[in-house]
Amino acid sequence: FLTVILPRQIYLHLMLRLPSLYFSRIPRPFEVADVSQPDIDGLLCACQICNRASDRRARMSSIPQMASVRHHDHGLPLSETWTVEAVGPAPIGFKNSWELFIESLLREWKTLNIVSALLLSAILSMLQNQEMAYDPSVRTLALVSLTCALMSLIYGCMYIIQSTILKSMYKTTSWVQETQRTLWNTWVMLALPGVWLAWCISMIFFIASILAFVWRSGSTADPSTPSSLGPDAAIGPRVLVSVFFILGNAYVGAIVKTLQECG
């Protein structure tokens, strides 16, 4: 419990349990397509067999274009050419329902991108205010919020640009069963734009920066110019902002690696 379940639950709570929300939405494409577990196993088996055969052909062939051919079909027929006679009705139904599922996610990510862009403008405007910019508490919270909004925007743009990969049938069947890895799996990846935007707005950063400014300015008892932090005290805010920036870039690297494996 202390080594597996508890760390997993803590991590999911830090992710605001949004990966679980995305995972709970995945049964609908199967229900719409009427795909059973044997159908899923068949798709996985066909994918593995075809890719092993494609690898052998690529090693034996001296034609350099073979690698690019496999890049597009991954050993399976192109999904655009699937017919009932070639792959059966279940895979076609699942393909159509999965594409509709990804389309709904794309609409969500576009909305999140709009909110992130508006937040970036608002936070930058806050930092142009001298009273806010000179207040260590307000400035630190605003910078962390800025980092979260920027990362959410980056993730959303990456997913929208690579939407064709997300719709691909090559990895879809294995994605649906990918629940064992806790720190990184498909559902963590899909939830990242919403997670980082939620941390930016609703948790402590953006709202807390506004509240900090409200309670630390406007009174005759408040200093007109907040005092700066000392060298030792300034390490804390710098480390906090740097940790969020490094963590966000680590997720960018994980997303790039996953999309490369699928593309």
Side-chain angles (χ1 to χ4, degrees):
F1 175 81
L2 294 177
T3 59
V4 178
I5 299 178
L6 183 60
R8 177 179 297 180
Q9 292 301 315
I10 293 175
Y11 182 71
L12 287 176
H13 279 85
L14 289 175
M15 301 288 288
L16 308 179
R17 303 200 69 86
L18 286 182
S20 299
L21 176 62
Y22 278 86
F23 181 73
S24 66
R25 294 169 59 182
I26 201 58
R28 178 161 180 78
F30 290 94
E31 293 171 358
V32 173
D34 194 20
V35 180
S36 61
Q37 185 63 39
D39 295 326
I40 300 174
D41 295 337
L43 286 173
L44 287 169
C45 182
C47 183
Q48 294 171 355
I49 293 174
C50 291
N51 278 299
R52 284 197 294 267
S54 180
D55 288 335
R56 288 196 296 269
R57 290 195 301 269
R59 288 194 297 268
M60 295 174 61
S61 177
S62 59
I63 303 176
Q65 286 81 5
M66 288 298 294
S68 63
V69 171
R70 186 179 182 276
H71 173 81
H72 288 290
D73 59 18
H74 300 284
L76 291 173
L78 289 173
S79 57
E80 292 80 1
T81 63
W82 282 10
T83 60
V84 176
E85 294 77 12
V87 297
I92 292 181
F94 175 64
K95 167 184 171 293
N96 294 333
S97 59
W98 178 263
E99 289 181 351
L100 291 175
F101 172 67
I102 296 298
E103 287 292 339
S104 68
L105 295 183
L106 289 175
R107 290 192 294 270
E108 293 179 11
W109 292 328
K110 290 176 182 179
T111 303
L112 294 177
N113 279 1
I114 294 174
V115 178
S116 298
L118 294 174
L119 273 173
L120 286 173
S121 300
I123 297 169
L124 290 175
S125 299
M126 288 173 55
L127 293 175
Q128 291 177 358
N129 184 296
Q130 291 187 353
E131 291 187 38
M132 289 185 168
Y134 290 155
D135 190 308
S137 300
V138 176
R139 182 177 66 250
T140 301
L141 293 170
L143 288 175
V144 176
S145 181
L146 180 71
T147 303
C148 292
L150 180 61
M151 290 302 169
S152 175
L153 184 61
I154 292 174
Y155 302 148
C157 290
M158 292 175 68
Y159 297 163
I160 293 172
I161 293 173
Q162 300 295 332
S163 59
T164 54
I165 294 179
L166 297 176
K167 293 179 182 179
S168 172
M169 292 292 100
Y170 171 56
K171 279 285 187 179
T172 297
T173 50
S174 59
W175 276 6
V176 238
Q177 297 182 335
E178 191 178 284
T179 58
Q180 298 301 319
R181 291 185 297 174
T182 302
L183 293 180
W184 182 254
N185 56 47
T186 306
W187 317 112
V188 171
M189 185 183 78
L190 296 180
L192 282 179
V195 170
W196 282 76
L197 184 60
W199 272 97
C200 172
I201 301 176
S202 62
M203 295 303 290
I204 54 175
F205 301 131
F206 183 68
I207 293 178
S209 64
I210 297 176
L211 292 176
F213 178 69
V214 169
W215 285 94
R216 292 168 61 90
S217 63
S219 171
T220 56
D222 298 320
S224 57
T225 303
S227 59
S228 300
L229 297 175
D232 295 334
I235 294 178
R238 293 171 181 173
V239 170
L240 179 62
V241 176
S242 300
V243 165
F244 274 87
F245 186 80
I246 293 172
L247 180 62
N249 280 279
Y251 278 126
V252 170
I255 293 171
V256 171
K257 182 180 178 181
T258 301
L259 292 179
Q260 285 178 345
E261 291 175 354
C262 300

